Amino acid sequence: MKVGIGQDSHRFDFNDNAKKLILGGVVFEGHAPLHGNSDADVILHSITNAISGVTCVNILGSVSDEMCLKHGIKDSTAYLAEALKHLGESKIVHVSISIECSTPKISPKIHQLRESIARLLDIPQNCVGITATTGEGLTQFGQGKGIQVFSCVTII
């Protein structure tokens, strides 16, 4: 059994009206998108980093930059899929995700997020834990300037 911890954060891009806010593969309508070369799906980036913590193969960075900048792949599900390839015979059995932001409100979409992430990781929905906090507004994430996510994956 191994455990991987991942983190990622992105600031909001209040000037981009064409891009959508995507979290965990779910579109959040009516909210500013996150700034990044890709779709900036901070939840999937955090999970990808947690998997990299187990496989020791860093996907976010040079691999994702090549996929995004050279081949135009901006969908973070592709980066996650690339990380999953390096698990070999190992399998994710649980993921715990902690989200810090003041906007959007996460609670109304937790079911959709769990469904999407479970599908992407090929695990049951009851093996995807999601919590959210505003952090009492103590950080820039809780002050509405971006989103920060920590993920922990359990792998056997």
Side-chain angles (χ1 to χ4, degrees):
M1 179 179 296
K2 294 183 178 181
V3 175
I5 299 171
Q7 183 274 346
D8 196 42
S9 57
H10 286 272
R11 68 176 51 91
F12 286 112
D13 186 345
F14 295 105
N15 298 317
D16 189 340
N17 296 322
K19 192 175 181 182
K20 299 277 188 190
L21 174 61
I22 301 173
L23 301 173
V26 175
V27 175
F28 281 68
E29 296 288 348
H31 294 278
L34 293 169
H35 179 73
N37 292 327
S38 69
D39 60 14
D41 188 329
V42 68
I43 293 176
L44 296 188
H45 291 186
S46 177
I47 296 169
T48 299
N49 280 334
I51 295 167
S52 291
V54 170
T55 64
C56 300
V57 178
N58 292 335
I59 300 303
L60 297 183
S62 61
V63 174
S64 64
D65 284 351
E66 182 172 335
M67 292 171 72
C68 179
L69 302 175
K70 190 173 181 182
H71 301 290
I73 301 169
K74 297 181 181 272
D75 184 344
S76 294
T77 62
Y79 312 146
L80 178 60
E82 187 64 27
L84 290 169
K85 289 179 189 175
H86 295 279
L87 282 175
E89 296 296 316
S90 298
K91 179 165 175 44
I92 295 174
V93 294
H94 188 268
V95 62
S96 179
I97 302 160
S98 177
I99 305 163
E100 182 181 358
C101 62
S102 67
T103 186
K105 294 298 178 201
I106 302 299
S107 296
K109 294 225 182 201
I110 283 182
H111 178 75
Q112 281 181 271
L113 290 167
R114 291 178 69 217
E115 187 176 77
S116 174
I117 294 163
R119 181 180 38 77
L120 291 168
L121 298 179
D122 193 27
I123 60 176
Q125 285 186 44
N126 67 353
C127 293
V128 178
I130 299 175
T131 61
T133 182
T134 63
E136 301 296 325
L138 294 173
T139 68
Q140 291 191 359
F141 307 108
Q143 295 164 7
K145 296 179 182 175
I147 302 176
Q148 174 171 246
V149 178
F150 289 91
S151 296
C152 181
V153 295
T154 306
I155 297 173
I156 56 169

